[in-house]
Amino acid sequence: MAPRTFWIVCALLGMATIIVALAIFPMFPSDSASDVSGYGGVVYAFEFARVPKDLTDIFGLVDDPDRARRITMMDAGNRWDFLFMTVYGLFGVFFGIAAMRSVSKIWAWIAILAVIASVADLIETGTLLSLTEEMADGGTLFPGLHYLWIPVTIKFAALAASVMGAGLFIATRRGIVWNVLGALTVLASVLVIPGLIVPSAYGGLLGPAVGVGWIVMLAYAISVAIRRPTQLAGSPR
């Protein structure tokens, strides 16, 4: 396939990623038993739970009347997350392939990191669902908490690195607008670092760290997809 075909598919997947994200996030509970606002959202607090107390802070004690509702809502969002990880993973993969086919094979790492992020998300989501199942069954051991941090860290690190790669690619394209937007994407992706180091205070930075990049990536893919073939032939950079 011609590079433009990959950019068209990439643009469609980018739009699907944004649509699915907007549809899924309202499914997660917006309230918690204790204040977890530093994480930037209840779902982020759950992802970074490390001890049983973190779970009760989010969902409440067994006698909390809202505990079951919070668990049900979290499960609903996480089940739909399987679709989300598939769509955003393919978005990153096609961006990497399109960049590789348009310029150089060096940009293949954008696609590779997107796959790593999706696989890590798959493991993470499965772990989260096992934790809520254990809570619903009255369990108290929660072995998944011991290793949950591994797929969560890999997911966000790989997403940020993939987005950073896309930002570097866009920043090297012809045009001051893309130079600036590409640089903005790279800078935004760096926000994942404090978010991972101190999630209880800076977890709210994780969404923008990746989201800004996805929006810029989508804009670039659309700009290439709608160009005429004659324009593409004369503007490899």
Side-chain angles (χ1 to χ4, degrees), residues 12-229:
L12 293 173
L13 287 168
M15 287 186 280
T17 296
I18 302 301
I19 292 170
V20 174
L22 292 174
I24 285 180
F25 280 105
M27 296 181 183
F28 293 103
S30 58
D31 68 307
S32 57
S34 299
D35 183 16
V36 295
S37 57
Y39 288 94
V42 179
V43 64
Y44 292 121
F46 189 26
E47 289 177 324
F48 287 98
R50 297 294 176 265
V51 295
K53 183 181 181 302
D54 293 333
L55 299 180
T56 56
D57 286 344
I58 297 166
F59 298 99
L61 297 170
V62 176
D63 59 353
D64 189 322
D66 291 314
R67 177 184 169 103
R69 173 183 57 81
R70 294 184 185 115
I71 290 175
T72 299
M73 292 183 69
M74 189 68 74
D75 281 350
N78 277 323
R79 289 193 180 100
W80 277 99
D81 191 39
F82 289 111
L83 171 63
F84 186 44
M85 68 181 74
T86 300
V87 175
Y88 79 62
L90 288 172
F91 175 39
V93 165
F94 271 85
F95 191 100
I97 294 174
M100 180 180 66
R101 293 290 298 272
S102 299
V103 180
S104 169
K105 291 182 179 179
I106 193 174
W107 300 109
W109 62 288
I110 299 172
I112 295 171
L113 287 165
V115 172
I116 292 173
S118 292
V119 172
D121 199 353
L122 176 64
I123 298 171
E124 171 205 306
T125 302
T127 304
L128 295 177
L129 287 169
S130 71
L131 289 171
T132 51
E133 181 180 11
E134 188 173 354
M135 279 189 286
D137 291 340
T140 58
L141 297 177
F142 307 113
L145 288 176
H146 298 305
Y147 62 85
L148 176 60
W149 67 273
I150 298 175
V152 170
T153 301
I154 292 174
K155 179 190 76 171
F156 282 114
L159 276 174
S162 180
V163 166
M164 179 181 287
L168 290 171
F169 173 81
I170 294 170
T172 58
R173 300 306 93 203
R174 180 177 297 161
I176 185 65
V177 172
W178 295 122
N179 298 157
V180 172
L181 289 177
L184 176 64
T185 298
V186 172
L187 291 174
S189 67
V190 177
L191 295 176
V192 78
I193 297 175
L196 286 176
I197 294 175
V198 192
S200 60
Y202 303 112
L205 296 176
L206 293 169
V210 177
V212 168
W214 280 347
I215 292 171
V216 175
M217 289 164 63
L218 172 58
Y220 182 82
I222 291 174
S223 74
V224 178
I226 63 177
R227 292 180 198 169
R228 296 192 302 273

